[in-house]
Each structure stands twice: as C-alpha cells, then as structure tokens.
Amino acid sequence: MPYRLLIINPNTSTHMTDALKPIVNGVNLRGNSAVEIYNGGKVLPDKLPEVQVDYFTAPREPTVSKEGITLEGIPSINNGKQSILSAQHCFPHLQSLIGEYDGFLVACYSPHPLVGMLRRAIEERNNVKPTAAIERPFHRRQYVTGIMDASIEMSAYFVNCASQESQQHTPGKFGIVTTADEWKEELDTAARDMLLSNGNDPDLTVFAGVETTGLTASELHSAPADLVKSRIKSATERLKHRAGPSLRVISMGCAAMAGMEKAVREAFDTSQPVTVVDGTAAGVAVLLGLCRAS
C-alpha cells in the first residue's frame, strides 16, 4: 500500500499550492537522500513504496465555526494572528480527511496551530473504538509536521554535517530568510523554542537568527522578479554579515519562496559554500522518514 501524504496550504492561493508541486516532486527518494537521513542512516531497499501526494488549499468560501463565527479564508498569511485564523478556517474542512493519510504537512512557515490541531485530532480518532460507522482504512501510524518544524530540524542536521566536513574550527550556524517584517521576532522565538524542545541545540549556538525581505508571501509572486531577487539576496547578506563565516545553512522561511534558492546562493561566493533548505522538501523528507521508520 502506498504512503499517502497531504500537503496543506492554509491560505487561499492556488498559485502558491501549484508552486509547491515541483518542490515535492523533486525530493530525492533514493541514494544519499533526505529520506535516508531521517531513516536513522539505515540503508533503503532498492524499491521504495509508492508515494501518493495530494494537496489541500484553504477554500475561498467562509467557514462558520461551532460558535457561529464566520471565518474568512486568508489569501496571504503575514503574521501570527493570521496563522491562527487560517487554522480555524481550514480545520473543519480537514477533519473528514484525518483517516485517509499517513502524513500531513502544513505548508506555512510559522509555528502554525494546524500542526497541533491535526495531531490532537489523530490522537482522538485513534482512541475511539472502531464501530460499524467508523472505518479504519489505515493501521499505520500517522504523522504531522509543519514546514518550519521540519526545516529547523534539517537545517540543524546540515549545520552539523558542514561543521564536521569543514576545515574551519568555528562551529557552523544556520539562519532564516523570511518575508514580512512582522515575522522576524515571532520566527526567531519559535526557532529557538523548537531547537530547545528537540534537543538539537540546547545552547542555541547553532542559530544565527532571522532576516526579512519586507515582502508579503503573495508579493513574492506578484512583485517584479528583480525586486524579489534583490530583497532575498539583501536579507541573506545581512544575515551573513551578522553571523560571519560560520553561516553554512539558510532556511527559506516561507512556502512561497519555493524555487528561489538562486537568490540566496548569490549572496555567497565559493569561499563560503552554503546549503539552502526548502521547508516543503524538508517536510516531505521528514514525513517519509517517519513513515518508513514506523
């Protein structure tokens, strides 16, 4: 039976959902892949099970909560408050899909509430005794992650790899380049909390901080391409200036940055190689690794 993953775009932009598809399709599933990394270093079989990926985009139609509150869809999530509203808007539409997938990836680079909401819904569903009215098409464990969670985990891993391979004696760091200025403090706090909670960096020495482009998620695709490229490069250069030669990994802090790695790389030269982590690719790799390990 194939693994089934649902990629969740909690905003109403179908254009943004479409931009995620080539990233998901390009995740390397064989060889020295991210999946192998997250499978604990175990050798993968020659043939991996088929992976079926479906996509969910927040509906444009309003959602009415149990309390009778009308919740509008969010076209571009630009702060923490909008993350909460988008979760409340999407969750009623996702509840009926809980039993249909092995893994759920919330494609919003933030500590998005949908991650916790889906985990609790899976736990509640699994604690209910099956009846004639409740079918259980899946008996495998189910997993949920967000692109920020996965990106932080993978960035910390790649920093460690780069530090071991580098001839420099300074420990490596990673930083986040994101969109609107409103995200800077929130993502900085969330990244530090994630590193502390998963034990990747108890002293927080691996994290170089967050820089912003000043553009919203939707503007990454609507603004002139040269402007977007310039803003991403400038934000990366500020992060590089702050962290110095120890900066080895950049996490692209927005799902809408999919495919924009080149602008990040242009801030570096051959004397300071960099790994660019796309959150969506990281999320798929983490979910597949968890599925295979269970």
Side-chain angles (χ1 to χ4, degrees), residues 129-275:
K129 292 183 179 180
T131 67
I134 301 178
E135 297 181 1
R136 295 293 175 83
F138 286 93
H139 299 283
R140 298 189 293 223
R141 291 188 63 182
Q142 295 169 280
Y143 299 94
V144 184
T145 192
I147 61 172
M148 182 176 186
D149 311 63
S151 180
I152 296 299
E153 183 178 347
M154 186 172 281
S155 294
Y157 175 87
F158 284 140
V159 163
N160 184 52
C161 291
S163 297
Q164 292 177 2
E165 295 169 0
S166 174
Q167 296 180 352
Q168 301 177 23
H169 298 292
T170 55
K173 293 179 180 291
F174 80 91
I176 299 169
V177 173
T178 189
T179 51
D181 296 337
E182 291 90 334
W183 281 120
K184 187 170 185 177
E185 183 176 349
E186 180 161 352
L187 295 190
D188 189 278
T189 300
R192 294 175 190 278
D193 289 345
M194 289 175 185
L195 287 166
L196 287 171
S197 65
N198 62 25
N200 276 333
D201 185 25
D203 299 321
L204 296 176
T205 55
V206 76
F207 184 50
V210 180
E211 284 294 341
T212 63
T213 63
L215 299 171
T216 66
S218 60
E219 286 173 339
L220 289 174
H221 293 277
S222 63
D226 288 345
L227 173 63
V228 173
K229 180 179 177 181
S230 173
R231 291 288 189 90
I232 293 175
K233 183 179 178 181
S234 295
T236 306
E237 287 173 339
R238 292 195 301 274
L239 200 55
K240 180 182 172 184
H241 178 74
R242 185 200 310 172
S246 62
L247 187 63
R248 312 237 171 95
V249 178
I250 296 292
S251 173
M252 295 197 299
C254 181
M257 286 183 174
M260 299 182 182
E261 296 92 336
K262 185 177 179 181
V264 173
R265 295 186 189 281
E266 287 188 0
F268 293 83
D269 55 36
T270 55
S271 66
Q272 189 175 351
V274 64
T275 298

Side-chain angles (χ1 to χ4, degrees), residues 33-102:
S33 66
V35 177
E36 187 170 358
I37 291 168
Y38 283 94
N39 203 29
K42 298 176 184 176
V43 177
L44 297 178
D46 291 336
K47 278 193 174 183
L48 288 172
E50 181 184 352
V51 178
Q52 177 182 329
V53 180
D54 294 329
Y55 295 84
F56 171 93
T57 305
R60 295 180 183 275
E61 299 77 18
T63 297
V64 179
S65 70
K66 292 180 180 179
E67 295 78 18
I69 301 172
T70 300
L71 302 168
E72 301 287 344
I74 309 292
S76 178
I77 301 171
N78 300 315
N79 53 56
K81 182 179 179 180
Q82 290 181 337
S83 288
I84 295 171
L85 292 173
S86 69
Q88 294 171 341
H89 172 68
C90 290
F91 184 66
H93 301 276
L94 292 166
Q95 283 181 294
S96 63
L97 303 177
I98 293 296
E100 298 185 20
Y101 293 93
D102 297 289

